[in-house]
Amino acid sequence: MDPSVLALYACCLLALAGGAGVIVLRNPVHAAISLLFTMLALGGAYAMMQAHLLAALQVLIYAGAIVILIVYVIMLLDQGREEVPHPFYPLGVAIGVPLAVLLVVISAPAFMGASAGPEPLITGPEDCTNCESAAVMVKKPDGSLVEASGCEDYVDTDNDGFTDCNDPDCHDNQLCYGTVRAVGGSLLGPFVLPFEVASVLLLAGIAGSILLTGRRPKELEDVIAGPAIAPAPGPQVVSGEGRGQA
Amino acid sequence: MNTAFLVVSFMNLAFVLGLLLNLGGLLTWVERKQGAVMANRIGANRAYIPVPVGRDPNGAGGFKWSKRFTLMGLFHAITDGIKMLTKENFTPPFVDTFVYNLAVWFSAVPVLVTFAVVPFGGPFQPGVMMSEVLTMVGMTGAAASVGGFFGDGVYHMQLANLNVGLLFIFAIGSTGIFSAALAGWSSGNKFSLLGALRSSSQMISYEVFMGISVLGLLVVYGTVDFNEMAQLQQQTWFGVIPKWGVLLQPHMFFVFMTALMAENKRVPFDMPEAESELVAGYFTEYTSMKMGLFMMAEFLEIAVIAGIMTTMFFGAYHIPGVVAATDAMHWAMHPELTPVNAIFGAEVPHALVVVLRVGAFLFKLIFFCWLQILIRWTLPKFRYDQVMKLGWKYMLPLSIVNVIATAAFMYVLGGM
């Protein structure tokens, strides 16, 4: 079997194991680390499926930002030293197991019909006409000569130092699957409206979090907190002048 | 995947690992010696090996040993390693063992992995290069067989030729935060926990504008691929001035370098360790080589930062004014990028090109290592609130303004 397919399956297994660990482990930090390995393994799986940009973003955002925030909050609250009790919920099992079976039943046909095997990992185009004439012999990084059958990431059809998917000569080549140029082109091209709507949604989220956690204006604070309580008498602070005289 | 490709990959791997691990050791010496020179001290000069210099006049058949063969204190790097490896590997009873040991891995591995996308010498043809060298020394038979083995395939002097280049560095680099966070939490020590909290908040804060600060440069380059950045920096203004990143976005050079240095957690950004306040911060409870790996990771990161700065801002492996004849194909495809080949004519031996490029890259790399250690011994430590203020109130707004201004400028100009 192709080593990259083996690596893909290894990543998938690791992701599943990590997901199980999140549920099973009773220590919050251990569960967070388990989640981290799930995220890293998903990144690896994306990379094995030639979606390099998605893999980088997966690691950058989920492993690097979200899981680290989870760990940070656990540390800040000084939780995680003691194990969380492990009660058994019969009702949870009664709801969860049928739902899991339902999920498998619904999604199985999609997987069955997807493909006969793991072959179409690279869904490239049939030709690369924008770069050069359609059928040219190109040199792969390993030195072997192949006919240019797709704008693959590592092929430099016109031998100018730019791989096809990033070649300025191939501007309208939207077929380079998973590359920065292709994903960026789709985000700012056909999917610009959902993209912008998502950014507005995120902006609303940021504004909401500032409103909920930030300092309120003084007059509003009084309304919310009620009459201010006088501070408890603390230790007497000796002023600088007093010390000097003593 | 044929054998030649594997052989070249292992050659690249050997070069990068050899370079980084040796630099990690050497930089400990540079740190000591340069700090000593800057502070007008003599510096690292104690470690030595005895060398026989002649017969012992008193003893029968014995040797007379030289007192000090210190080699400018270079042996200190070796003695450090021996010391770390032979000290007691003590795990305190109150730590969370699994997390405690995992954190060590997160310190050194991301640093080493990030260097995978840094191109250290551009495209090269090992078959052509080796047969040239072998022919020069007169081994024509070997030259032919080596040339036949490699063919005229073009390879990159880079471990992983990834399309996502810079994003890969950000992604892998961001997992480095886990080393400090998990080490501090698992140690079960208040100082460690404080160090971990500080390091997490500092690294998260500086990561925010580390990405934004280079967005302007990415707009100019139009790519995040390091190989293409290197190619683009061969262009010139008026055929003389190289279009290096540092000349395109000089202000962002400083911002990006600041962010990278803050990620490295060394003076003046050593809040997480803060020797005078937190003992050793997040790695207080670590001993022997585990502690050594935390230290080693910081020195490795100096070299990796130098590599990234070189590639993005200082023309990667290019020497200004010297353009390799092997890129003739590139120039034929892009006549607008006129090469300036002032020193050599049209035909330059490929082996010489490779040596010049790798040499240029190493020279710039060492320059940036020196610069970082210069900064470390020049600036005093910041206060914690100063670090946060610098990041959020100055660097972040400056980066955002730069992105908008650069984008507007490029829109008006319609290209580079």
Side-chain angles (χ1 to χ4, degrees), chain B residues 102-270:
Chain B
L102 187 73
V104 183
W105 287 90
F106 273 109
S107 71
V109 172
V111 179
L112 283 173
V113 172
T114 41
F115 205 83
V117 289
V118 175
F120 56 87
F124 82 126
Q125 292 170 292
V128 175
M129 185 185 83
M130 286 183 192
S131 54
E132 270 174 8
V133 172
L134 287 172
T135 314
M136 204 150 38
V137 296
M139 297 164 68
T140 11
S145 60
V146 169
F149 176 68
F150 285 111
D152 56 351
V154 181
Y155 300 82
H156 284 284
M157 282 201 248
Q158 184 190 30
L159 283 184
N161 184 11
L162 287 185
N163 169 275
V164 289
L166 184 65
L167 290 174
F168 176 81
I169 285 186
F170 286 158
I172 301 295
S174 68
T175 59
I177 305 179
F178 283 103
S179 86
L182 295 180
W185 177 82
S186 66
S187 290
N189 176 327
K190 286 281 191 292
F191 290 124
S192 301
L193 189 65
L194 274 175
L197 280 172
R198 281 191 186 185
S199 78
S200 308
S201 51
Q202 176 179 318
M203 288 171 86
I204 292 170
S205 307
Y206 276 70
E207 247 175 29
V208 171
F209 70 84
M210 182 170 75
I212 299 176
S213 65
V214 284
L215 267 185
L217 200 63
L218 298 186
V219 169
V220 179
Y221 286 151
T223 179
V224 291
D225 188 330
F226 272 178
N227 264 318
E228 283 155 22
M229 279 185 206
Q231 295 274 4
L232 286 167
Q233 289 180 80
Q234 288 190 84
Q235 303 175 34
T236 50
W237 283 296
F238 319 117
V240 186
I241 309 162
K243 281 192 179 174
W244 284 2
V246 68
L247 299 176
L248 291 168
Q249 298 251 311
H251 48 309
M252 285 303 118
F253 166 75
F254 294 107
V255 174
F256 189 58
M257 180 115 181
T258 309
L260 283 177
M261 288 190 69
E263 292 288 309
N264 197 5
K265 309 186 287 287
R266 279 162 54 83
V267 179
F269 295 101
D270 69 331

Side-chain angles (χ1 to χ4, degrees), chain A residues 30 81 141-142 160 166 180, chain B residues 2 96 155 163 185 228 330 334:
Chain A
H30 292 178
R81 294 261 154 241
D142 58 4
D160 61 348
N166 286 315
V180 179
Chain B
N2 60 22
D96 186 323
Y155 300 82
N163 169 275
W185 177 82
E228 283 155 22
H330 180 66
H334 296 277

